Amino acid sequence: RQKAYVVNADGKPRKIEGVKRSVAEPAEDAQNQHFTNTDIDLRFGDCLYLTSDGFESQFGGPRNTKLKRKGLVTMLQEGHMLSMEEQGQELQRRFDEWKGHNDQTDDVLVIGLRFCGYGKQVGQ
């Protein structure tokens, strides 16, 4: 299941709730399910991250445990002011460091978007 997070320009994170449904569900199950629209208030400098659960469920670290949501959100917060390219490199480095010698347990996807268009800057 995919998840979405917003880290605002001040570094405050929030999880965006979505429909709890896998894209891999059989077609016959999907016909009885409905999607919903979610409005997200985004401001200049906010970062939106779309993720698979693979990053959070990777085993590693000093006690060979899962990274979990809190670990991923902390990484997103700590790097949100970097360029998107630098964030990607830093997430890859930290994921590899966390994973250590363990095999990768799942697919890993993190897509990051920074909103910096025509809106007002934070504090204006």
Side-chain angles (χ1 to χ4, degrees), residues 1-5 23 48-58 67 72-73 75-76 84 87-88 91-92 95-96 104-113:
R1 294 188 173 143
Q2 288 191 335
K3 298 177 176 134
Y5 303 97
V23 295
L48 172 67
Y49 302 96
L50 307 173
T51 72
S52 67
D53 62 353
F55 206 111
E56 299 173 12
S57 60
Q58 178 61 50
L67 182 64
L72 173 58
V73 171
M75 288 182 193
L76 297 175
M84 297 315 280
Q87 286 184 54
L91 283 173
Q92 181 69 57
F95 179 81
D96 290 342
Q104 185 171 321
T105 56
D106 201 355
D107 60 25
V108 175
L109 174 72
V110 179
I111 298 172
L113 305 165

Side-chain angles (χ1 to χ4, degrees), residues 6-123:
V6 172
V7 177
N8 72 22
D10 294 329
K12 183 179 177 188
R14 71 182 190 273
K15 182 180 176 184
I16 306 301
E17 296 293 335
V19 175
K20 296 188 187 297
R21 187 172 155 213
S22 172
V23 295
E25 285 183 18
E28 59 273 8
D29 293 342
Q31 291 176 0
N32 297 321
Q33 302 265 343
H34 299 284
F35 288 103
T36 59
N37 292 326
T38 302
D39 292 325
I40 304 171
D41 182 27
L42 296 169
R43 303 198 190 275
F44 186 92
D46 290 354
C47 292
L48 172 67
Y49 302 96
L50 307 173
T51 72
S52 67
D53 62 353
F55 206 111
E56 299 173 12
S57 60
Q58 178 61 50
F59 284 94
R63 294 185 297 200
N64 200 35
T65 57
K66 289 184 179 184
L67 182 64
K68 298 188 179 177
R69 180 178 75 92
K70 183 178 180 182
L72 173 58
V73 171
T74 297
M75 288 182 193
L76 297 175
Q77 276 183 278
E78 291 173 354
H80 81 280
M81 295 303 290
L82 298 172
S83 73
M84 297 315 280
E85 182 178 349
E86 291 170 319
Q87 286 184 54
Q89 293 167 353
E90 183 64 9
L91 283 173
Q92 181 69 57
R93 185 192 68 74
R94 292 179 74 173
F95 179 81
D96 290 342
E97 183 179 280
W98 177 265
K99 181 173 64 92
H101 296 292
N102 291 318
D103 289 335
Q104 185 171 321
T105 56
D106 201 355
D107 60 25
V108 175
L109 174 72
V110 179
I111 298 172
L113 305 165
R114 183 184 318 275
F115 291 85
C116 54
Y118 300 102
K120 292 183 179 179
Q121 290 195 23
V122 174

